[in-house]
Structure formats: C-alpha cells, structure tokens
C-alpha cells in the first residue's frame, strides 16, 4: 500500500459513524516500518476556527477501507 495515495485524505469515522476528520499524516516505528499511529486533522467548521490534530493509535482502528472506521467501546 502506498501510504500517500491510499491513506492520506481518507475520512475517519468514529463508532457512531460521525466524521472525526481526515488522515493527514502517519507515525511509524523506524525499526519495523509499521504504522503505529494516524494523525487526524479535524474537518468541517472546527477546522476553520482552529487547526487541530489528534493522534490515534492503530490499536483503535477497526477497519481501513474507503474510509477509516474507529473501534467503539464494545470493540476494545
């Protein structure tokens, strides 16, 4: 998978299918080259007010497809 082409810009949804933001970057382990975290940039009105980012560990990602779906409390 090419990270820039396949992952950057994907919408991120929480367990209630609410848009959290979009993937703007990734953090990876230099030794194993595995992605450890996604950097999520908030979208919508909150993005216009204040540029903000959240770091989401890959352990909280349920599925990556057309969109990124995060796990809910029942999944953890």
């Amino acid at each position: 998978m090419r990270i820039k082409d396949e992952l950057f810009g994907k919408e991120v949804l929480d367990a209630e299918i609410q848009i959290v933001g979009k993937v703007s970057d990734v953090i990876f382990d230099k030794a194993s080259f595995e992605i450890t975290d996604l950097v999520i940039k908030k979208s919508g009105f909150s993005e216009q007010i204040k540029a903000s980012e959240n770091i989401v560990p890959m352990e909280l990602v349920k599925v990556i497809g057309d969109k990124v779906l995060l796990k809910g409390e029942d999944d953890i």
Side-chain angles (χ1 to χ4, degrees), residues 1 16 28 32 34 37 40 57 63:
M1 170 168 75
E16 287 79 39
F28 67 95
S32 66
E34 290 184 43
D37 305 282
I40 311 301
V63 175

Side-chain angles (χ1 to χ4, degrees), residues 15-72:
E16 287 79 39
I17 315 300
Q18 300 294 315
I19 297 173
V20 176
K22 293 184 178 182
V23 177
S24 64
D25 204 352
V26 295
I27 300 170
F28 67 95
D29 182 299
K30 291 180 183 178
S32 66
F33 295 104
E34 290 184 43
I35 297 173
T36 58
D37 305 282
L38 298 178
V39 179
I40 311 301
K41 184 174 182 181
K42 292 184 179 180
S43 59
F45 185 69
S46 62
E47 180 182 20
Q48 297 171 2
I49 295 173
K50 178 182 172 185
S52 58
E53 295 179 336
N54 291 320
I55 296 177
V56 176
M58 287 302 293
E59 293 85 31
L60 296 180
V61 175
K62 185 174 187 175
V63 175
I64 297 176
D66 292 337
K67 299 182 185 300
V68 177
L69 180 61
L70 301 178
K71 293 179 181 177

